[in-house]
Every structure is written in structure tokens, then in C-alpha cells.
Amino acid sequence: MLKKMLRLILSMAVVGLMAGSAFAAAPIKIGALFSVSGPASFLGEPERNTAEMMVTEINKAGGIKGQKLVLIVYDTQADATKAVQAANKLIKDDKVVAIIGPSTTGDTMAVIPVVEKAGIPLVSCAAGIKITEPTKKWVFKTAQNDALAVARIFDYLKKKKISKIAILTVSDGFGSSGREQLVFQAGKFGIQIISDETYGPKDTDMTAQLTKIRGGAAQAIVCWGTNPGPAVVARNVKQLGMKLPLFMSHGVSSMKFIELAGDAAEGIILPSGRVVVANQLPKNDPQKKALLNYVENYKKHYNVEGDHFGGHAYDAIMLIKGAIERGSDSPAAIRDQLEKTEKFAGIGGTFQYSPQDHAGLTSDAFVLVQIKNKGWTLLK
Amino acid sequence: MDNSRQLFQYILSGLSNGAIYALIGFGFAIIYNATGIINFAQGEFVMLGGMFTIFFLAFFHLPLLPAIILAILFSTIIGIAFERLAIRPLKNATPLSLVIITIGASILLRGIAMLVWGKDTHAVTAFSGNDPLYIAGATILPQHIWIFAITLLIIAANKIFFNYSIVGKAMRACAYNSQAASLVGINVKTMVLLSFVISSAIGSMAGIIIAPLTMTSFDVGIMLGLKGFCAVIIGGMSSGLGTIMGGLLLGLLESLGVGYISASYKDAIAFIILLLILFIRPEGLFRTKETERV
């Protein structure tokens, strides 16, 4: 950590000297707020890794219009107070031109008033629908809305003529947002929720809830949560010998889930970003190139597979890069150009921002995947 | 599915979880009975057991049995170090300050575990497969049988140790009156150390046998530790049948509460019971009142 800080100070000092000399271009400073530690570290860690990797790659390729990028990352620990402090620091002390992150909806909502007041564009990596609805002048996001994931599952259920489902959601921000959407959209697809159960984020046994579900007439179970809860649910379903099809949220679309759930993961269907099935995509998929490039690069840098969550940071950096390339590096110009982003094929989907839409994705951003032989299979 | 089968499944699930709580509660009881301290770091030994097992399995590719034995050994060594470095140096500390020290130690252990092993959750493979066993229409995993069996074994071994062996009797004497015990030639310090050895070994054992079911990560100790504490409070701090009954009762009420009321109240149920017991029957449900407790 100390070493990193020293390096940062040193590099900034060097950059400062260079700026003093005649023609060298000043670096572009971008701030980042990620929950690298704490309960949402499964989001923040790959996001930080990805952002650092992308900045290194961009600088290696000559920067943006000859200007180097400098990334300043602060850890919010998924704590809204810390997120606000860090955002103020980025704006007032570090004088960044744009901010990527935070990783969670809670942190993002807390930071929004700060960036709106200061007039600094924010590209959030969180999924909550509240972030961009209603549209806020300076706020954009890259993570797909929960609503899109729910729509994708319901669409599939409808096709399979399943109309009675049980839902099992975790009682935290992610789960309750998902539950809201599940309940809200069910009617639209002619689906009836006949069992509505919850579990705690730290629970280690959900057999009681599942037994209750088994007592009803549900034809499928939809579980909404992030690791490790859903892995316990998958194991418990197997333990109880239940034969109902099990659906999960995009919150578990990482290899970690398959590792935790083991054999019990087989056959589970979930909506996911295309990143986990990059290889299986048809050649004409507009995202395929970016996806393969990202997966390969991430593996080279960190020796693990790049996932869905890191992809949000990839998209955020690339969107800002695109905006600076089209305009200039002033916060206002970046904002204006971000809003004009058209057909940017990133990791999370193909982005198309407009003055009315700062989320930029359609339900096409998700594909349904099924877990088979400890891997992901694209469901057509 | 008919109601009686459903009820039976609740009961079976509840009892399986209850056995886990009982086993963790046991560790609390042993230290309390030897020293009068409630060791709030007990949950961390449960975590250490599971995490050490993962560590030996994944990094040294040991087979399961040696990994388990080593995990218990290492957790016990940490238990000894804890007693030596944090409890013994304080000569005339009140039980309350010692209890606060154990809370500090639990935060320290959790922090170190996070730094060393990271924040990920890990799964241990089940001892004997994951195929459910059917009992009258309800299901249970082979791992649950392991948990029941090991809990019973540990309890029986404890009963024999504390009631019939000279060392066990000496430990009980220390709990009752350490000054009198030292007058008759019992080395009180050794007995205190021994209680930490036994309880950290049992705690880590509990952590190991439940890891295939609950999975393990640096922070599993908090909740499991509190549930174990609940069990031992219901059982009146006994290192025998009381704690088992307490654990089973807690598991059962949780499971039935989730089934017939709502899952949102699962943890609330445990802590409401804890508060009620502390208010109404602080000596525990299964214990006759004593005139004086140590």
C-alpha cells in the first residue's frame, strides 16, 4: 500500500515536472471509487483490477490523444459515508475530471449529490435502477438494471409455459431490489408468485424456506442473491431432493458460484452478461471482440478469469475514453460527449446513451446461461 | 406434499442445525466452567478450523483426514497462544475485562484471517458424499449424520473426562473455587490453559464438520459464535446435556419459525430467546437454581 502511494506521489511529481517543461501534455486524472474491501468486495476487487489494467493498457498504447491517464482509486468499503468523503477528496484535492464507480447502489446514491453539485461526470458501476431514473445531469451507469435480468428470466419462463413460481430473495439491498422487480413484473408476463420467501445474507441453511416452497404448487424457483447464499440454496435444493428448475440472478455469474455450489450447480439457469460465454457467442455478435480481448487480458494480468463485474469498470473507462477522444478533457465536455455515446459495444452490452437514458442498455444486454459440466453454456 | 411430512422436514432441519449450535456452545461452556470467562473468541476457532482445513487441502494437497488433524492442531496452538499472551499475563483482572479481551481477540483473529486467506467463501467437500438420505419422506445429508455422531462423541468424552478423570475433576474444582483448589495442590494456571486447549480443539472440530454444509469464510465465526452462545445460555452454561438441549431447541425453533412465521425473523428468534432466558431464567432452562455460581 505504502509502496503504491509512494509510486503514485512519485509519478505525479514526475508528471508535474514534465508539465512544467514546454510542450509535454498534462495527464488526465480520473478518479475511481470501488468497494475493494468489505461486504461488496466481490464487486470492487475485480473492478479495481480491471480499471488499473485498462489504464496501463491505454497508457502503453500512447494514452488518449497523447495525454497519459492517471487513475486515483479509493476504497469505499461499501460504506456510504466513506464513499462521500472519498468523492469530495477526488474532486477537491485530486481535481479529477471524471469519476468511475462506486460499486454499490447505496454508495452511488450517496455520491450523486456531491458530483451533481461539483459538476463532475460520474459513471457508476452499480446496478440499481434509481441511479439513472430519473435521469441526472452528471450521472451515468454501466451495470445492467435488475429489471432487465428479471425480464430475461420471465421471458424464458413464459416460453416454457411456467406460470407459478416461488421466489427466494436475500434480505439486503441487492435482494430487495430484485424482489421488487420480480413482484412488479410478474403480472406483465402472466406469472404468479405463489411463494415469496427471504433469507439473511449470512444464513447457512435455507432448507426450512425450501421445504415451505416444496409444500406449495410452484413450478420453478427464482433465487436472488450474491455469493455465498445462492450456493447454499442450490445445495439445499439438492439435499431436499427437489426437482423444480432453479433460476438464479446475474449476481452469481462468476466461477466462484460454481466452485461453491459444486455438483448442486448443475442445470441452474441464470441471466448473465456475455462475458462468461464469450467463446460461444456467434461471430457476428458486436461485443465478441471486446469480450475476448478483455477476458484474455484479465487472465494475463491477474491469472484468473475476468468476470461480469470487472466488465462494468471496463465499460466505464472505455466510455470516458471515447468521450474524451470525441471532445476534450474538461468535465463538461466529457459529460456532453458521454451522453452522445452511440453503439459502444462493451462488456455489459451495447451502450446507447441519450439525454433521456443514462443507463444505455436494453434487455439484450443479458443472455441466459445454464451451468453444465462446471461451466457456462449459452442458452438459445 | 402433506403437512406432516413438511413438519417432519422442519424438525429434521432444525435438529441438524441445533446440533451445530450445541457443539459450538460446548466450547463456551468448558472455558466458562474452568475460568468464569465467557470466551467470545469461540466463534473464531470455529472459523479457524474450517479455514485451516481448506488451507491444508488446497495448498498442500493433503488428504482430508491429515488436513483435519493438522487444522485442529493449529487451531489449538492458536488457542494456547491466546491464553498465554492475552489471558495469563493479566494477573488480577476481573472476569469482565477478560471478556472484553476475548472480544478484542476475536476481532484480531478475524482480521488476520482476512488478510492471510482473503475474503472469499470456500467450500470443503463433504466427508461422505452429497446424496441425500430419506427418512420418512424428509431428507438429511450424510454430513448431518457426521455432525450428530461427532457431537455425541464429544459430549460423551467430556462427561467421562470431567466426572471421572482426576484432571477433569481438578478443572471443575478450579471453577468452583480457584483459591481452595490451589491450596490442595492443583495447578490452577495449567487447568486454565487446558480449558483453552479443549475448547479451541472442540471449536475447530465444529468448524471443520460444518464447513461442507455451511461453507466457510473469514467472517463465519460471528454468527455461528453468537448462536452457540445462545445455545449455551439456554443450557445454563453446562458442559453436558443442558447445552445440547439448548442447541437443539434453538435450531428447532428457528426452523419452525421460518416455516410457519417468516424467514425474516430467523435471527430475531434466537436473540429474543437469548434475552428472555437472561431476563427470566439466567441460570438456564435445564438447571436447578444454585445458591452460588462461580
Side-chain angles (χ1 to χ4, degrees):
Chain A
M1 198 59 214
L2 191 67
K3 221 169 161 184
K4 237 183 210 166
M5 292 236 297
L6 279 175
R7 211 155 57 193
L8 193 75
I9 293 167
L10 208 69
S11 62
M12 275 159 77
V14 170
V15 160
L17 284 175
M18 275 160 59
S21 67
F23 300 107
I28 301 168
K29 280 198 255 180
I30 293 176
L33 302 170
F34 294 132
S35 53
V36 181
S37 62
S41 60
F42 68 96
L43 298 169
E45 215 166 346
E47 283 166 2
R48 180 205 51 197
N49 289 350
T50 304
E52 282 177 348
M53 173 184 96
M54 293 306 296
V55 167
T56 315
E57 296 279 311
I58 290 170
N59 285 339
K60 224 193 274 169
I64 303 176
K65 294 200 287 195
Q67 284 174 281
K68 295 270 181 213
L69 273 187
V70 176
L71 185 75
I72 302 158
V73 185
Y74 291 121
D75 181 4
T76 69
Q77 300 173 18
D79 176 339
T81 318
K82 291 206 175 81
V84 169
Q85 283 167 355
N88 276 316
K89 212 152 114 197
L90 282 175
I91 295 167
K92 296 202 176 99
D93 301 345
D94 303 318
K95 304 221 171 353
V96 298
V97 294
I99 298 174
I100 61 175
S103 315
T104 67
T105 303
D107 287 4
T108 307
M109 293 313 285
V111 165
I112 285 174
V114 181
V115 295
E116 284 283 303
K117 194 163 159 239
I120 298 289
L122 178 86
V123 185
S124 169
C125 294
I129 203 161
K130 297 176 282 191
I131 297 169
T132 50
E133 266 173 42
T135 311
K136 291 148 196 93
K137 188 175 176 199
W138 296 91
V139 182
F140 299 82
K141 76 183 184 89
T142 55
Q144 303 94 328
N145 285 338
D146 299 341
L148 303 180
V150 170
R152 200 79 198 189
I153 293 180
F154 280 177
D155 196 42
Y156 180 80
L157 289 176
K158 203 176 161 188
K159 251 189 258 162
K160 295 273 162 194
K161 300 205 166 44
I162 293 175
S163 61
K164 287 186 183 127
I165 61 163
I167 61 174
L168 181 54
T169 56
V170 61
S171 55
D172 63 11
F174 183 78
S176 38
S177 161
R179 187 184 161 274
E180 234 168 70
Q181 284 302 322
L182 286 163
V183 174
F184 176 70
Q185 292 191 39
K188 221 174 4 176
F189 289 87
I191 284 166
Q192 208 186 340
I193 294 172
I194 56 169
S195 241
D196 181 357
E197 295 294 323
T198 60
Y199 65 88
K202 289 263 148 230
D203 281 4
T204 49
D205 180 79
M206 283 66 139
T207 46
Q209 287 96 322
L210 290 166
T211 305
K212 207 168 163 186
I213 288 172
R214 187 167 63 172
Q219 297 163 296
I221 306 170
V222 180
C223 168
W224 216 264
T226 47
N227 285 330
V232 178
V233 171
R235 284 157 167 255
N236 287 164
V237 164
K238 190 167 178 244
Q239 175 193 338
L240 291 172
M242 292 168 81
K243 297 277 179 275
L244 296 178
L246 180 57
F247 293 81
M248 289 280 170
S249 73
H250 52 300
V252 297
S253 84
S254 62
M255 285 312 280
K256 191 76 206 169
F257 173 71
I258 299 182
E259 183 199 318
L260 289 177
D263 291 341
E266 292 295 308
I268 290 174
I269 298 175
L270 57 135
S272 166
R274 286 175 167 72
V275 66
V276 294
V277 286
N279 280 319
Q280 300 167 37
L281 290 172
K283 277 209 180 67
N284 57 7
D285 192 295
Q287 284 172 254
K288 186 159 185 169
K289 205 177 124 214
L291 286 167
L292 286 176
N293 180 20
Y294 169 65
V295 171
E296 213 168 278
N297 235 330
Y298 198 91
K299 185 137 201 176
K300 210 165 65 196
H301 277 82
Y302 301 107
N303 260 328
V304 284
E305 305 262 329
D307 62 18
H308 185 68
F309 308 121
H312 301 327
Y314 173 98
D315 292 341
I317 293 259
M318 293 306 276
L319 282 163
I320 289 175
K321 177 174 177 255
I324 296 174
E325 275 167 352
R326 291 193 300 274
S328 76
D329 65 348
S330 78
I334 294 176
R335 191 216 85 90
D336 292 344
Q337 289 302 327
L338 270 177
E339 204 166 64
K340 288 180 193 144
T341 301
E342 262 185 58
K343 294 211 175 98
F344 161 69
I347 304 301
T350 304
F351 290 85
Q352 180 110 18
Y353 288 142
S354 73
Q356 292 79 38
D357 183 10
H358 282 192
L361 293 172
T362 59
S363 70
D364 183 49
F366 282 112
V367 288
L368 278 182
V369 296
Q370 185 163 32
I371 299 171
K372 273 184 193 158
N373 301 324
K374 302 207 179 301
W376 312 97
T377 316
L378 186 63
L379 212 62
K380 278 161 196 136
Chain B
M1 164 152 187
D2 54 297
N3 286 336
S4 64
R5 236 181 85 193
Q6 197 168 352
L7 177 67
F8 190 57
Q9 181 69 54
Y10 290 140
I11 293 174
L12 212 54
S13 294
L15 291 180
S16 342
N17 282 322
I20 298 173
Y21 301 153
L23 199 54
I24 298 167
F26 230 67
F28 280 98
I30 288 169
I31 290 188
Y32 181 81
N33 286 332
T35 62
I37 313 171
I38 292 170
N39 174 22
F40 278 107
Q42 193 61 34
E44 303 323 311
F45 288 99
V46 176
M47 176 272 290
L48 284 175
M51 293 303 274
F52 269 125
T53 310
I54 296 272
F55 177 67
F56 290 120
L57 283 175
F59 286 89
F60 296 101
H61 302 288
L62 292 178
L64 194 60
L65 191 66
I68 289 175
I69 293 169
L70 278 175
I72 296 177
L73 204 70
F74 274 76
S75 309
T76 310
I77 290 171
I78 289 179
I80 293 172
F82 171 41
E83 196 273 342
R84 282 276 161 148
L85 300 175
I87 304 289
R88 186 174 295 202
L90 299 157
K91 293 223 163 56
N92 295 313
T94 58
L96 183 65
S97 28
L98 289 172
V99 167
I100 292 171
I101 285 173
T102 66
I103 296 177
S106 82
I107 297 171
L108 179 73
L109 285 174
R110 205 179 310 142
I112 293 174
M114 187 188 88
L115 288 176
V116 174
W117 290 310
K119 286 162 287 197
D120 273 344
T121 307
H122 303 275
V124 182
T125 45
F127 297 177
S128 41
N130 268 325
D131 296 323
L133 309 169
Y134 287 82
I135 305 172
T139 56
I140 193 168
L141 288 176
Q143 193 68 25
H144 287 124
I145 310 280
W146 278 101
I147 293 175
F148 283 125
I150 289 175
T151 305
L152 281 177
L153 206 70
I154 287 178
I155 286 159
N158 266 290
K159 197 85 193 158
I160 294 168
F161 176 71
F162 281 106
N163 288 346
Y164 301 104
S165 82
I166 198 86
V167 184
K169 282 181 184 166
M171 280 176 76
R172 276 169 57 216
C174 289
Y176 199 72
N177 188 333
S178 58
Q179 220 164 5
S182 71
L183 280 177
V184 296
I186 296 171
N187 188 342
V188 178
K189 282 181 178 165
T190 313
M191 294 303 137
V192 171
L193 181 66
L194 198 59
S195 73
F196 272 85
V197 168
I198 297 174
S199 84
S200 48
I202 290 180
S204 61
M205 187 70 218
I208 293 164
I209 57 174
I210 66 172
L213 286 179
T214 63
M215 293 180 271
T216 191
S217 67
F218 77 97
D219 59 353
V220 289
I222 312 171
M223 212 41 169
L224 288 172
L226 280 173
K227 295 283 170 71
F229 178 63
C230 249
V232 79
I233 289 290
I234 298 174
M237 282 293 168
S238 89
S239 47
L241 209 58
T243 299
I244 309 179
M245 297 300 283
L248 294 180
L249 189 70
L250 180 63
L252 213 53
L253 286 174
E254 269 190 6
S255 163
L256 292 173
V258 170
Y260 293 112
I261 309 170
S262 162
S264 320
Y265 302 121
K266 187 178 172 196
D267 292 333
I269 290 169
F271 298 121
I272 288 170
I273 297 172
L274 178 66
L275 288 177
L276 282 180
I277 297 274
L278 287 173
F279 286 142
I280 301 165
R281 271 188 77 92
E283 70 276 12
L285 275 187
F286 307 102
R287 192 177 261 234
T288 46
K289 263 199 170 113
E290 280 176 33
T291 44
E292 195 204 32
R293 299 265 311 124
V294 183

